[in-house]
Amino acid sequence: MKKKVLALVMVAAMALGMTACGAKQEAPAADEPAKEEAAVEEATEEPAAEEDAAEAPAPSSDYEIAVVVKVVGIDYFNVFEDGVKNFADEYGVNAYVTGPSTADAAEQVNIINDLVSSGVDALVVVPNDATVLESALQAAQEKGVVVVTTESPAQVGADYDVELIINDAFAELVAEDAAKACNGTGEYALYVGGLTVPLHNAWADHVEEYLGENYPEMKLATDRIACGEDAALARETTLDLMKTYPDLTCIIGFGSQGPIGAAEALTEENKIGEIAVLGNIIPSEGSSYLESGAITSGYLWSPFDAGMASCYIAKTLLDGETIDENFKIPNMGDIAFEGTTLWIDNPIVITADNWESFGF
């Protein structure tokens, strides 16, 4: 935007020069010296006025907000993009989605660096790896770019992060449904996307705590297993667990592929109804397993709302407004603050009866 304003200043200056040249071709009347002096004074004053205009904040319609998702082209982020597009239309900003074709943190770094070099006003990022992205996000901030993340609480290099669920409440929702599904007895297994994925392990920690306090007859069969983002690995893991732990009654999977792989294994071994499977799923991916009963229920949040909320925060910061305990995002409910992380309690429960309604 600064380049646009500079260009306008240069065009205006050229126009003034051309006007001055035209004036020299005509001899002024004898009684017009005062007018000519006034015109010269006005001409000399105009660049200062334009310089002041260059320093004024640009209108919101000129904001460029680039949204870098984990991976483009999958259902979840297609709906996330719909939220971004809706925000752009509603608030009159240039907001758009980009990202790598595979879930590659290094490629996200390249994309972020290119966007910063191109002069974007704000970045909204859904990190593939919070640590890998730290330096790139901090470099963006140093160049005056507003940085907002989602799905990465307390992200280093972000002005704010927004989450569409509250961790403990989300974990308790899953744990309570899991206990009901297996009558509060037997052994259970926990799948996570990785042992260093902050959200997954925070949920897993609280599930263990909640079940231990409220359902003491439910026991963790083995240490949590990092297979939640790999359906094939989750399938093999589930097959092994069923052989090793005959009292296994429940699998809780954090990471959208864990429940899918577990459901595949139950289907192969005709164990549907004997072991409950719950956790994160993409509704369209888990639909057949929900309908067969291999997956009891899925848990997530609205990607459309995530796209809207993160862009709204970015625009608020670009407008120079304060984000404090009085801050609200339209139609998003109450917000809890924890440092620079904003928590909104809007989970969705996905079942055989409602999966089609989510659109992803």
Side-chain angles (χ1 to χ4, degrees):
M1 291 185 295
K2 291 180 179 178
K3 293 179 181 177
K4 292 181 182 177
V5 175
L6 180 59
L8 289 171
V9 173
M10 293 175 65
V11 169
M14 291 173 63
L16 286 170
M18 292 174 64
T19 302
C21 290
K24 290 179 183 177
Q25 291 176 4
E26 296 181 10
D31 61 349
E32 292 186 357
K35 290 183 181 180
E36 186 176 50
E37 289 176 6
V40 172
E41 290 178 4
E42 182 178 340
T44 58
E45 290 174 0
E46 284 184 10
E50 291 171 35
E51 185 176 341
D52 290 341
E55 297 300 324
S60 63
S61 59
D62 286 344
Y63 293 154
E64 181 178 354
I65 303 174
V67 181
V68 183
V69 298
K70 290 183 176 181
V71 56
V72 295
I74 65 172
D75 289 342
Y76 177 89
F77 285 115
N78 289 341
V79 178
F80 192 105
E81 184 173 15
D82 289 341
V84 173
K85 289 178 178 178
N86 187 78
F87 176 85
D89 291 341
E90 185 172 344
Y91 290 94
V93 302
N94 176 19
Y96 56 88
V97 167
T98 185
S101 58
T102 59
D104 185 341
E107 185 58 27
Q108 277 190 310
V109 169
N110 293 335
I111 292 169
I112 289 167
N113 290 340
D114 288 344
L115 289 168
V116 172
S117 296
S118 74
V120 295
D121 299 296
L123 289 168
V124 169
V125 183
V126 191
N128 278 311
D129 187 308
T131 303
V132 171
L133 266 59
E134 286 180 6
S135 295
L137 298 180
Q138 288 174 318
Q141 287 182 313
E142 290 170 1
K143 293 186 177 180
V145 178
V146 165
V147 178
V148 176
T149 58
T150 185
E151 299 185 30
S152 193
Q155 172 68 53
V156 174
D159 296 295
Y160 285 93
D161 175 85
V162 60
E163 301 298 324
L164 271 292
I165 56 167
I166 295 176
N167 276 348
D168 286 357
F170 186 75
E172 289 176 15
L173 172 64
V174 178
E176 185 63 31
D177 286 354
K180 290 177 180 177
C182 62
N183 298 314
T185 62
E187 295 182 317
Y188 69 96
L190 278 170
Y191 296 169
V192 293
L195 298 179
T196 59
V197 176
L199 275 181
H200 294 182
N201 287 278
W203 298 335
D205 287 343
H206 199 65
V207 164
E208 287 188 46
E209 179 184 349
Y210 182 87
L211 291 177
E213 291 177 357
N214 296 279
Y215 296 93
E217 293 184 28
M218 289 185 70
K219 305 294 184 181
L220 185 64
T222 185
D223 292 341
R224 67 190 65 167
I225 303 167
C227 61
E229 296 292 6
D230 186 328
L233 180 58
R235 171 187 167 275
E236 291 295 331
T237 299
T238 304
L239 291 172
D240 290 341
L241 289 176
M242 287 190 293
K243 294 175 183 177
T244 308
Y245 301 98
D247 293 330
L248 189 69
T249 59
C250 182
I251 295 171
I252 300 171
F254 295 128
S256 65
Q257 297 306 302
I260 300 296
E264 289 178 2
L266 264 61
T267 302
E268 291 176 24
E269 297 297 314
N270 295 316
K271 295 284 189 179
I272 295 175
E274 296 181 27
I275 299 175
V277 175
L278 307 90
N280 303 138
I281 61 169
I282 304 300
S284 58
E285 291 182 354
S287 59
S288 63
Y289 295 119
L290 287 165
E291 292 179 349
S292 73
I295 295 178
T296 304
S297 51
Y299 305 83
L300 208 61
W301 50 88
S302 167
F304 183 94
D305 287 350
M308 284 283 292
S310 51
C311 286
Y312 188 87
I313 293 169
K315 180 181 178 298
T316 299
L317 294 173
L318 289 171
D319 286 340
E321 298 179 11
T322 301
I323 293 179
D324 56 23
E325 63 275 4
N326 297 315
F327 176 70
K328 299 290 184 184
I329 301 174
N331 305 313
M332 294 286 175
D334 294 335
I335 299 174
F337 288 79
E338 184 180 0
T340 57
T341 300
L342 283 64
W343 302 94
I344 304 171
D345 192 19
N346 282 339
I348 60 175
V349 180
I350 306 155
T351 68
D353 295 328
N354 70 5
W355 70 266
E356 288 184 284
S357 66
F358 296 110
F360 65 99

